[in-house]
Amino acid sequence: MSVSIALFGVGRWGVHLLRNFLQHPDARVIAIIDPCLEQLESVAQRFELDQRTFLTTQWQDALELSGLEAVAITTPATTHNELITAALKQNLHVLAAKPLTLSFSESIQLCQLAEQQQRQLIVDHTYLLHPAVIRGWEAVQKLGKLRYGYSTRSHLSPVRSDVDALWDLAIHDIAILNFWLGESPCTVEAKGSVWLQEGLPDTVWATLIYPSGFQASLHLSWLNPDKQRRSCIVGENGTLIFDELAADQLTVQWGKFDPKFKPIKQSREILELPKQEPLQEVCNHFLDCVQNDRASEISSGWIGAELVQILEALSESMRLGKAIDIK
């Protein structure tokens, strides 16, 4: 049986989610909600939607639809708490874009509400279902003792007005690192610069320190024409490199020292990846969890809440100008 879904928001990311659900044999899109009527008309024409598909600018109307089982929410982060709360109270399953909310306490309350309602709450942390990230976890196990990590996520737009570059970009790299390491940072520190919009840092440098002693540095920017999507982990046997924009997305640069610090065993290995669209895997995962009434072990609301807690601590670090311990 297919799952009846309403999609909240068909902007830049919502359109991709809509395309995947429309093509999925286990999904039936019965409603699309967006505050912009022109956008609704555009997607209706672009995807040749059935006239029975309910299009509305008022999200409250969609929640009352008969037979609705789930919602996918890709609206601005500032709206997530209200929309997710309303959907869960209507006994609907929820797939929410990242971040889950802009508040750790609100995120925890949503997770608790989902459990009370016995409904699935899953966050679209797309990278956690990316074949390179999943394959990367296997490669990390072969790097020997891990030393440090680093990542860069930069581009020239899109510039958001609802969140800063930290909340927009860092969550991807933190999710990847936490998954690869199997742990969450205990201490964080961040510094930001503002050039474009007052009060919203558009370039951020962040440091994550993990309980194991592993340390990672993140560079995040909306205004750098040098577009990069690169995450690395350095171990005693080599470095794992996930470069999303490269032809060979996932590689290991093997190499180590002999007792006299002479480099030895140097080589480059390209890790083969299956041809899968990560967002399609997100849709597969969400629908599977809904149909089988199974909590996500990959990207649950609880995992989303943990990432929000880390971002809150990083924001506090930027505000206070000092490292923050996460309890």
Side-chain angles (χ1 to χ4, degrees):
M1 293 290 292
S2 61
V3 177
S4 297
I5 296 175
L7 187 64
F8 288 51
V10 281
R12 183 175 59 89
W13 190 248
V15 166
H16 295 302
L17 199 60
L18 173 62
R19 169 178 54 82
N20 274 280
F21 276 130
L22 287 173
Q23 295 172 348
H24 204 291
D26 292 334
R28 185 164 64 95
V29 178
I30 66 172
I32 301 173
I33 305 92
D34 195 279
C36 178
L37 181 59
E38 290 79 7
Q39 185 68 3
L40 288 172
E41 294 172 345
S42 174
V43 296
Q45 181 178 9
R46 174 179 172 182
F47 293 103
E48 300 179 343
L49 296 179
D50 191 305
Q51 291 186 347
R52 292 173 296 180
T53 304
F54 182 55
L55 305 178
T56 180
T57 60
Q58 303 298 317
W59 62 266
Q60 294 90 344
D61 295 341
L63 293 183
E64 302 294 334
L65 288 175
S66 175
L68 182 64
E69 298 172 272
V71 298
I73 296 172
T74 63
T75 54
T78 51
T79 68
H80 285 189
N81 187 55
E82 180 183 15
L83 294 179
I84 296 171
T85 298
L88 289 173
K89 287 184 175 179
Q90 284 291 109
N91 291 315
L92 301 171
H93 302 282
V94 177
L95 173 65
K98 60 80 184 171
L100 178 55
T101 71
L102 298 178
S103 161
F104 178 55
S105 61
E106 288 180 351
S107 296
I108 291 295
Q109 290 170 6
L110 290 179
C111 293
Q112 293 171 339
L113 178 59
E115 290 191 347
Q116 291 168 9
Q117 299 294 96
Q118 297 184 344
R119 288 298 178 264
Q120 302 303 325
L121 172 58
I122 295 172
V123 186
D124 176 13
H125 290 295
T126 311
Y127 282 99
L128 294 181
L129 287 149
H130 195 298
V133 174
I134 295 171
R135 179 72 176 84
W137 179 87
E138 300 173 5
V140 167
Q141 313 311 309
K142 302 176 183 179
L143 294 181
K145 182 176 176 57
L146 302 181
R147 290 173 171 156
Y148 68 95
Y150 55 98
S151 69
T152 299
R153 191 168 294 270
S154 63
H155 53 233
L156 195 62
S157 81
V159 177
R160 295 176 58 168
S161 58
D162 58 328
V163 295
D164 60 20
L166 172 70
W167 281 81
D168 182 30
L169 302 177
I171 197 166
H172 298 303
D173 299 297
I174 299 170
I176 292 169
L177 286 167
N178 287 4
F179 178 71
W180 280 349
L181 298 171
E183 58 179 346
S184 185
C186 56
T187 302
V188 299
E189 187 171 10
K191 296 180 180 180
S193 296
V194 178
W195 280 285
L196 304 178
Q197 302 174 97
E198 185 176 354
L200 287 177
D202 39 58
T203 299
V204 176
W205 294 266
T207 300
L208 313 174
I209 300 175
Y210 289 79
S212 63
F214 184 89
Q215 183 168 310
S217 300
L218 313 182
H219 170 213
L220 315 155
S221 181
W222 282 335
L223 47 69
N224 187 346
D226 178 21
K227 183 175 182 179
Q228 293 191 56
R229 296 283 186 276
R230 201 167 188 266
S231 299
C232 306
I233 284 189
V234 181
E236 63 179 336
N237 297 325
T239 298
L240 172 67
I241 303 165
F242 172 31
D243 189 341
E244 191 178 354
L245 304 182
D248 301 319
Q249 286 193 341
L250 192 67
T251 59
V252 179
Q253 195 69 46
W254 298 106
K256 57 191 301 184
F257 286 125
D258 69 8
K260 294 184 178 181
F261 303 122
K262 179 182 178 181
I264 58 173
K265 298 183 178 179
Q266 292 181 283
S267 65
R268 180 173 182 265
E269 179 182 3
I270 299 172
L271 303 182
E272 297 295 328
L273 302 173
K275 299 294 183 181
Q276 298 171 342
E277 182 185 359
L279 188 55
Q280 184 181 65
E281 294 303 307
V282 171
C283 295
N284 291 341
H285 181 65
F286 176 63
L287 294 169
D288 177 67
C289 289
V290 169
Q291 291 174 319
N292 294 288
D293 192 26
R294 180 169 56 237
S296 173
E297 296 180 354
I298 300 171
S299 193
S300 67
W302 294 105
I303 292 173
E306 181 181 60
L307 291 167
V308 169
Q309 182 185 29
I310 297 167
L311 290 174
E312 267 194 353
L314 285 163
S315 291
E316 184 74 354
S317 173
M318 277 201 294
R319 186 179 71 84
L320 298 177
K322 66 177 185 179
I324 298 293
D325 292 331
I326 300 176
K327 300 178 181 178

